[in-house]
Amino acid sequence: MLAALCHCVLTVSVAATKRSEYFAPLVLITLFAIVYVAPIGFRPLVSPDEVRYGEVAREMLVSGDWVSPRFNGVRYFEKPILGHWINALSLAAFGENEFAVRFPAALATGLTALIIFALTRRFVSGSSATWAAAIFLTTALVGAVGTFAVLDPFLSLCTTAAVAAWYLALHEPAVAKRARYLVACGVACGAAFLVKGFIGWAVPALAAGGYLVVRRQWRSLATLSWVPILVAILVAAPWAILIHEREPDFWNYFFWVEHVKRFAGDNAQHSRPFWFYIATLPGLAWPWTLAWPAGFLGLRSVLRRDSFLVFVLMWALLPLAFFSLAHGKLLTYILPCFPAFAILLAAGLEQHVSRSPQRVMRGATLALAGILALELAAILVAQAGGVGRPLYGASESLKATALCVLLGVGVCSSVVAFRSARSVTRLMALAIGGVAFILPLQVLLPERVLDVTAPTVAVARHAPSAETVVVADASRFGTVAWTLKRDDIYVVSSGEIGYGLSYPEARFRELTGRMLAALIETAGARADILIVCKPATVAAIGAMLPARAMRFQDGSTVFVEIPRAK
């Protein structure tokens, strides 16, 4: 029955595609709404990333300070200002909740897909445009990051807009229109800088410069660069000057620590080997990795004579190489390369399915069916107590059932696509496989995973009174600040706010050495004290806790209540 339903859905979709040119955009909008908008308010915020960006934006709204970002009440200079502005505006519009914190990242992902669609439609074809956007929206990394409150989707949107505007300017004969595209490119580059700093200029510069060098268009290197550079500087300058006047050390810290040391330092944060991104790319591109062979075969026949695809190839590979050279690496850093990957794959698949036998794509759908079936079988066996610990607890049967149904739909659609003669059906099956990966991250995560990744629920259950003095460690202070809506949390380990705590007026907030014992003695005489931390921290501070302290654990979070001394 499930297979028959999948067959009907795929058949109707293919028929509708033939009947109306408006069907494809409607499907993309529906896909975006279902995967990126509807579910983002259900999952609690993940620590430390999501609570960090939510809390920085909340404190910006409360303080009215739109120049100098603060986190837990102290200076937080790891990123520039634009992402915090966008998040703060979302909180102002939708309230201080999970949906508001994640919506800007989701919206940025949707707008990036729109640019991909428009650019590909102009320079490749309408069908490639549809599939480029669909591939982008159903790729594992894009879906995971686009429904997660971090700044990378903003950066990806800005760099995609900059690259698209620059290429349009390069091929625009009308002087006035070309100037407008170059200004748009500069605005996007300025916005990229205000999101993540100088790295926002690397992707457009590498894509544009690499393409012009390959095409030997040396003159264009000068004529098409000065307008975007000037506009980008003008866009970034007002805030850059304001923050320098207010915080003279900002640019020293931001440039040397957050750029130079992170990129080239021997002790760079998140240090990884050169091949890290190459090794993880197949997983990050799931499930479209399965279509790479067909896409490569299709691209091979057109790449040399298609200047647009050569440009997109530069856009994909040169930033990837640049990020691989950096000592510090996170999976999210290469998100700006994925719009180019999606365009290349869509163009290659269009060529392949129109000229070649379908053996390669049939193999891709068969492999997808097998992998999803194995995943489904593993979950069923684990839930039945056959192997290891069940993924879901006894009270989570609805989640377990929903996940199994979603995987079952993916298996059946892949089988239908394998048996079908239509190439569109196979592409749709791969997109469904992507949805089957992304949606569970939003609404079907097991409670034991949320206990570790999202301690906001535990903190909310044990929220103290406003008069209670609250202490947390580096792993929990952001969660506590966001959940309790407070910016006065003491910390027993500074973590990512170490720089902000180095200022004289904030040093008392970091309880080093015997300072925790001193705080308990002084503040404990007038108020209750609550310590929120991970289990390892309790072992480290145990000797400083008084006999009246009461400890209990909720999930992965330990709470130490110290009643006011009588």
Side-chain angles (χ1 to χ4, degrees):
M1 181 176 178
L2 194 57
L5 177 61
C6 291
H7 178 74
C8 291
V9 170
L10 294 174
T11 302
V12 170
S13 299
V14 171
T17 303
K18 293 181 176 180
R19 286 197 302 267
S20 174
E21 63 178 353
Y22 300 108
F23 182 76
L26 180 62
V27 168
L28 291 174
I29 293 171
T30 303
L31 171 67
F32 174 71
I34 292 174
V35 177
Y36 286 87
V37 179
I40 59 174
F42 290 96
R43 173 174 53 84
L45 295 185
V46 170
S47 178
D49 296 292
E50 292 193 304
V51 294
R52 175 201 307 127
Y53 293 114
E55 179 59 17
V56 171
R58 188 194 71 81
E59 292 184 27
M60 183 173 287
L61 282 176
V62 172
S63 68
D65 183 354
W66 294 76
V67 176
S68 178
R70 291 180 178 266
F71 186 17
N72 191 28
V74 303
R75 294 168 178 84
Y76 184 73
F77 292 163
E78 287 199 7
K79 300 294 184 291
I81 202 67
L82 183 57
H84 302 312
W85 283 348
I86 296 171
N87 288 334
L89 292 174
S90 182
L91 293 185
F94 301 111
E96 297 173 1
N97 55 61
E98 289 82 358
F99 178 89
V101 174
R102 295 193 182 104
F103 180 70
L107 181 61
T109 303
L111 292 175
T112 304
L114 180 62
I115 296 172
I116 292 170
F117 178 86
L119 190 65
T120 310
R121 185 171 185 176
R122 173 162 177 177
F123 292 103
V124 186
S125 68
S127 59
S128 284
T130 300
W131 285 112
I135 289 168
F136 180 74
L137 290 174
T138 55
T139 295
L141 178 65
V142 177
V145 179
T147 54
F148 194 75
V150 288
L151 301 182
D152 300 274
F154 302 155
L155 178 64
S156 182
L157 170 61
C158 294
T159 56
T160 302
V163 167
W166 183 88
Y167 191 79
L168 288 167
L170 181 65
H171 289 81
E172 178 54 60
V175 175
K177 273 192 174 181
R178 186 189 310 134
R180 286 197 290 269
Y181 285 134
L182 290 175
V183 169
C185 176
V187 170
C189 287
F193 177 84
L194 290 175
V195 169
K196 273 208 165 184
F198 297 98
I199 199 70
W201 294 346
V203 174
L206 288 168
Y211 174 74
L212 292 178
V213 169
V214 168
R215 302 284 293 182
R216 298 183 180 179
Q217 296 179 244
W218 311 110
R219 184 178 179 182
S220 297
L221 280 170
T223 59
L224 292 179
S225 60
W226 70 268
V227 172
I229 292 173
L230 178 61
V231 173
I233 292 173
L234 291 175
V235 169
W239 176 78
I241 294 171
L242 282 174
I243 191 67
H244 175 70
E245 291 179 345
R246 182 176 296 186
E247 304 288 352
D249 191 52
F250 176 86
W251 290 110
N252 173 61
Y253 173 81
F254 184 67
F255 179 76
W256 288 108
V257 176
E258 291 300 315
H259 282 79
V260 176
K261 290 185 178 180
R262 183 167 290 196
F263 184 88
D266 292 333
N267 59 342
Q269 189 180 21
H270 313 300
S271 181
R272 299 287 189 276
F274 172 82
W275 45 261
F276 175 72
Y277 290 128
I278 302 300
T280 56
L281 192 57
L284 300 178
W286 169 264
W288 295 100
T289 315
L290 301 173
W292 281 0
F296 174 77
L297 292 174
L299 278 178
R300 190 175 57 176
S301 63
V302 296
L303 187 59
R304 288 186 178 181
R305 65 176 185 269
D306 191 316
S307 61
F308 174 69
L309 294 181
V310 171
F311 170 71
V312 177
L313 186 65
M314 297 297 102
W315 176 10
L317 297 185
L318 293 182
L320 180 64
F322 174 79
F323 290 124
S324 295
L325 289 173
H327 289 189
K329 297 180 180 70
L330 283 177
L331 296 177
T332 57
Y333 289 175
I334 61 170
L335 182 64
C337 301
F338 274 69
F341 292 151
I343 294 172
L344 288 171
L345 182 56
L349 289 176
E350 182 180 32
Q351 291 295 320
H352 177 75
V353 300
S354 64
R355 300 182 180 184
S356 307
Q358 296 297 299
R359 290 191 298 271
V360 178
M361 283 303 295
R362 290 188 73 201
T365 54
L366 183 62
L368 178 63
I371 293 170
L372 293 179
L374 287 174
E375 185 179 349
L376 176 59
I379 292 172
L380 291 173
V381 169
Q383 287 302 116
V387 178
R389 180 182 175 186
L391 184 64
Y392 293 97
S395 62
E396 299 179 278
S397 57
L398 185 60
K399 282 187 178 181
T401 302
L403 179 58
C404 290
V405 169
L406 190 59
L407 292 173
V409 170
V411 171
C412 293
S413 64
S414 300
V415 171
V416 170
F418 174 75
R419 300 176 60 184
S420 173
R422 300 179 183 275
S423 58
V424 174
T425 307
R426 297 189 179 92
L427 294 174
M428 292 184 67
L430 287 169
I432 291 172
V435 173
F437 172 85
I438 298 168
L439 268 183
L441 297 178
Q442 292 303 308
V443 294
L444 299 177
L445 287 177
E447 289 299 324
R448 63 190 180 100
V449 173
L450 292 176
D451 284 342
V452 175
T453 62
T456 51
V457 176
V459 173
R461 276 197 291 261
H462 308 289
S465 66
E467 294 76 25
T468 300
V469 176
V470 182
V471 181
D473 62 6
S475 70
R476 295 293 185 270
F477 75 83
T479 298
V480 174
W482 164 260
T483 306
L484 303 183
K485 312 304 179 192
R486 292 175 57 168
D487 61 0
D488 61 347
I489 312 301
Y490 290 88
V491 295
V492 293
S493 50
S494 59
E496 61 182 315
I497 59 171
Y499 173 80
L501 290 170
S502 68
Y503 281 76
E505 68 272 19
R507 287 175 185 166
F508 74 96
R509 298 273 298 282
E510 184 180 7
L511 305 178
T512 58
R514 299 293 299 174
M515 289 177 65
L516 175 60
L519 178 74
I520 293 173
E521 182 178 350
T522 56
R526 54 181 172 78
D528 297 334
I529 296 174
L530 176 66
I531 302 174
V532 185
C533 57
K534 59 184 181 182
T537 302
V538 175
I541 65 174
M544 289 181 275
L545 299 178
R548 65 181 187 279
M550 298 175 290
R551 310 179 193 183
F552 60 93
Q553 186 166 342
D554 189 337
S556 62
T557 303
V558 175
F559 297 83
V560 179
E561 292 182 349
I562 306 174
R564 182 175 57 183
K566 301 299 184 181

